[in-house]
Amino acid sequence: MSVSSGEFKRMLQEKGFKLTTQRRTVLDVLQNNKGKHMTAEEIHEIVRQKCPEIGLATVYRTIQLLQELKLIDKLNLDDGYIRYEIGKFNDDNHHHHHHLICENCGKVIEVEDDLMGTIEERLESEYNFKITDHKVKFYGLCKDCK
Ligand SMILES: [Zn+2]
Ligand SMILES: [Zn+2]
Ligand SMILES: [Zn+2]
């Protein structure tokens, strides 16, 4: 599900920011490229087609803001780049998703289910620790490389 302009505007206002075409465009680029994992430079390239005057620094700042709003997630897929992707939305919450990384061809597969809830519950009670987030990557061989 995507974030509507109204919703996005409200989220920005809560943080003291205004909805601008540039901010909307950066979010749209990430929303339209679901499942791709883009670097700030790649996002900048696409955003520039609509906002030719936008600089890379502004794209970086906007990415930072979208992360604070929990609309996008930052990823490290072990290829030496910092990448970003849109979060996953459903009716009442947002969740990042997890990735399967093929060690042979480098393909990255999205895992739809979170499956981490039971593990978190167990860790929380065993270690008396409040978990707020997790990052999970699985390594192996994809179906073509297996
Ligand atoms: Zn992903
Ligand atoms: Zn593979
Ligand atoms: Zn998760």
Side-chain angles (χ1 to χ4, degrees):
M1 204 186 287
S2 351
V3 188
S4 69
S5 277
E7 210 177 335
F8 186 39
K9 192 176 173 186
R10 186 187 51 74
M11 292 172 98
L12 285 167
Q13 272 170 351
E14 271 173 22
K15 292 247 173 195
F17 291 94
K18 284 199 175 94
L19 178 62
T20 62
T21 312
Q22 295 190 339
R23 288 184 181 132
R24 180 73 231 182
T25 308
V26 173
L27 180 65
D28 284 345
V29 167
L30 282 144
Q31 273 189 165
N32 297 337
N33 288 279
K34 236 174 237 169
K36 286 197 197 139
H37 307 101
M38 294 189 291
T39 64
E41 288 79 6
E42 285 166 347
I43 296 165
H44 181 223
E45 275 310 303
I46 306 174
V47 171
R48 262 199 342 197
Q49 294 166 10
K50 201 176 168 191
C51 309
E53 73 291 352
I54 196 170
L56 185 57
T58 307
V59 171
Y60 270 120
R61 278 198 301 273
T62 309
I63 287 170
Q64 219 64 54
L65 182 60
L66 295 176
Q67 257 187 282
E68 277 172 43
L69 297 172
K70 297 195 188 321
L71 289 169
I72 64 171
D73 295 314
K74 188 176 177 174
L75 302 161
N76 175 358
L77 299 173
D78 303 318
D79 59 356
Y81 294 98
I82 302 211
R83 296 176 180 279
Y84 302 91
E85 74 181 333
I86 193 86
K88 197 174 153 187
F89 301 90
N90 58 35
D91 293 338
D92 50 354
N93 67 335
H94 148 256
H95 201 283
H96 51 244
H97 48 247
H98 304 302
H99 297 96
L100 310 179
I101 302 175
C102 178
E103 291 177 303
N104 188 53
C105 69
K107 192 191 288 168
V108 178
I109 300 154
E110 313 261 289
V111 178
E112 288 304 321
D113 300 307
D114 189 69
L115 310 170
M116 293 295 150
T118 21
I119 295 172
E120 286 193 350
E121 274 170 36
R122 211 175 125 184
L123 290 171
E124 287 191 337
S125 71
E126 239 170 79
Y127 294 88
N128 188 23
F129 185 88
K130 175 78 196 119
I131 295 174
T132 52
D133 200 6
H134 56 248
K135 290 192 164 76
V136 187
K137 286 182 275 188
F138 298 93
Y139 298 91
L141 294 171
C142 75
K143 68 175 191 313
D144 299 324
C145 299
K146 212 164 49 174

